[in-house]
Amino acid sequence: MVMVFELAWKARWAALAIAVFTAVATVIFHNFWAMTGADAGMQRLMFMKNVSVIGGLLAVYAFGPGRLSIDRG
């Protein structure tokens, strides 16, 4: 079994920056509200996927990188 340990240096700020970037890119590229048919359904799916990724990134920002971090907060 291979174990991967993350250093998580400045993880909170990196997670916030990636969350902001993903939010902006999501609104620009997945505009399902301007489409119809199957295209709108697929874009809605990708939009919601990105919203869940943003939620995960904001959880890292809120709670920190974890106990194995070299940053400790």
Side-chain angles (χ1 to χ4, degrees), residues 3-71:
M3 297 184 75
V4 178
F5 295 101
E6 296 180 22
L7 295 177
W9 182 70
K10 301 293 182 192
R12 285 182 180 215
W13 295 112
L16 183 62
I18 295 170
V20 169
F21 172 79
T22 305
V24 171
T26 297
V27 171
I28 292 171
F29 291 110
H30 298 298
N31 57 348
F32 64 89
W33 51 89
M35 298 179 179
T36 59
D39 289 337
M42 181 57 71
Q43 291 302 319
R44 185 179 305 114
L45 181 70
M46 294 298 112
F47 183 90
M48 296 310 287
K49 183 245 333 163
N50 284 0
V51 168
S52 65
V53 168
I54 292 167
L57 289 166
L58 291 178
V60 172
Y61 176 72
F63 299 115
R67 64 182 175 94
L68 298 176
S69 171
I70 63 171
D71 207 15

